[in-house]
Amino acid sequence: MAFPTRSLVSVALAAGTALAAGRLLLERGHGGLPFAATVFTLFLLLIPYFLGGLSDFFERLGAWLDRRPGRLLGAAALLLVPYAIYAFGTGAFTTYAALKLTVFVLGPALLLAFKSRLTWADALAILALWLPLDFRLFRDVWSWPEGGAAYTLNVVLAVDLALLLFVAFRRLGGVGYRFRLGWSDLSAYAINLAICLAFVIPLGLATGFVRFNPDTGAASFAFSFLAIFLTIAVPEELLFRGLIQNFLQKTWGHSGRALVVTSVVFGLAHLNNGAHPDWRYVLLATIAGFFYGRAYLQSGGLMAAALVHASIDAIWRGFF
């Protein structure tokens, strides 16, 4: 499939996903200009999200950037345009919120702009992408509707920015951000999902962290799986496997050590996911993260890892 065709498919997927999200907003009684601005903002942010997975868009962009700091900062600044549409369309604009998002977008770009190889700046840029989202610092940036858009808009913007910084500008190999499935992907997915479930379900039940409580139909499960895949699994696998595990492996030259350390980091990242820290959640997330990372290593891409991740989360939400 040629690049123009893949571009059209990416735009169509972005439009379909944004409209599906818009339908949820309509069902909750939201409408008018704020509704239109929010859906259009999501559509704009989803275009590079899908383009990166369906084509070599970011590799082509990297050739144009040519490691020139000015071009990188200009491209990063374009990611703020959707926010401007959202902020003024919804009436959510505040100077403080705009400054926070500007620092989030341009800060990591500045860290990487003048570095030519993997350095401490890459680690800081990864943390600058991850920690503000993990600590939910941007809820006031995307404040319309209350609690309804912040998470999705944040993570899609972060994916776009990560692809720009590391795939396009840094030309980091091994990220594996491709929306395609081959035999190796399906094999890695099936094997690691089965082994992961064999560990986490008995352990979750034994520790009392989960209990069997099926409450889902086929359509509900499928919708939950797709939503988790797009807004949780793909972004988190890009961060933890495509960037952190990949970065550690390149730094240490040892895939096993990188896998274990990334799994522990992934588990610890779940400390603040509940009302209070829970060691059982950290333990289960660490074990699950190990199999996500194993799927990434075995398949050579993110899709197998993201599918295992989305399956585990969807099964947890639908049956436990």
Side-chain angles (χ1 to χ4, degrees):
M1 187 162 51
F3 180 75
T5 303
R6 296 187 184 204
S7 300
L8 291 174
V9 172
S10 300
V11 171
L13 286 172
T17 306
L19 289 173
R23 181 178 177 181
L24 293 177
L25 290 176
L26 287 173
E27 290 175 352
R28 295 173 185 175
H30 302 295
L33 179 60
F35 162 81
T38 302
V39 172
F40 188 59
T41 296
L42 179 58
F43 165 67
L44 291 178
L45 291 174
L46 282 169
I47 292 174
Y49 176 103
F50 284 116
L51 262 179
L54 293 174
S55 73
D56 59 352
F57 170 75
F58 283 96
E59 288 80 359
R60 291 173 179 240
L61 180 60
W64 177 80
L65 291 174
D66 195 28
R67 300 191 188 278
R68 299 185 186 182
R71 290 186 176 184
L72 171 63
L73 294 174
L78 285 176
L79 291 175
L80 295 170
V81 173
Y83 165 72
I85 294 170
Y86 166 89
F88 290 104
T90 61
F93 177 84
T94 67
T95 302
Y96 179 62
L99 285 174
K100 277 205 301 186
L101 196 67
T102 301
V103 171
F104 174 72
V105 170
L106 297 184
L110 282 169
L111 280 170
L112 300 185
F114 302 98
K115 298 293 181 180
S116 60
R117 56 189 177 86
L118 294 177
T119 64
W120 55 267
D122 294 271
L124 288 180
I126 292 171
L127 290 175
L129 284 170
W130 169 26
L131 295 181
L133 300 186
D134 201 47
F135 288 101
R136 301 169 178 85
L137 299 183
F138 294 140
R139 286 181 173 176
D140 61 333
V141 173
W142 315 94
S143 58
W144 187 96
E146 186 175 354
Y151 177 81
T152 299
L153 293 171
N154 275 335
V155 296
V156 177
L157 172 63
V159 167
D160 294 346
L161 182 58
L163 294 174
L164 170 65
L165 295 177
F166 289 97
V167 176
F169 188 74
R170 298 297 269 140
R171 302 181 188 180
L172 179 65
V175 174
Y177 189 85
R178 282 290 181 269
F179 295 162
R180 63 185 178 209
L181 286 174
W183 171 249
S184 62
D185 302 288
L186 293 173
S187 175
Y189 163 64
I191 291 170
N192 286 286
L193 175 62
I195 300 174
C196 185
L197 288 172
F199 275 95
V200 298
I201 290 179
L203 188 57
L205 292 170
T207 59
F209 183 71
V210 298
R211 60 186 177 85
F212 187 61
N213 183 31
D215 184 26
T216 186
S220 176
F221 182 84
F223 181 81
S224 176
F225 175 86
L226 286 173
I228 292 168
F229 178 79
L230 291 174
T231 65
I232 297 176
V234 170
E236 289 191 2
E237 292 312 302
L238 173 60
L239 169 65
F240 286 100
R241 259 52 70 175
L243 296 184
I244 296 176
Q245 184 173 324
N246 186 22
F247 180 81
L248 291 178
Q249 184 174 333
K250 283 179 167 52
T251 302
W252 293 337
H254 193 291
S255 60
R257 189 192 311 171
L259 170 60
V260 171
V261 171
T262 305
S263 302
V264 172
V265 172
F266 181 75
L268 292 173
H270 289 73
L271 266 175
N272 67 333
N273 279 26
H276 52 79
D278 191 328
W279 67 268
R280 298 171 300 177
Y281 197 4
V282 173
L283 175 62
L284 290 168
T286 300
I287 294 171
F290 177 85
F291 289 102
Y292 304 162
R294 192 167 175 264
Y296 167 71
L297 283 176
Q298 291 177 345
S299 65
L302 292 178
M303 286 305 98
L307 286 171
V308 179
H309 191 154
S311 297
I312 293 293
D313 281 11
I315 290 169
W316 173 31
R317 294 187 184 191
F319 295 94
F320 294 91

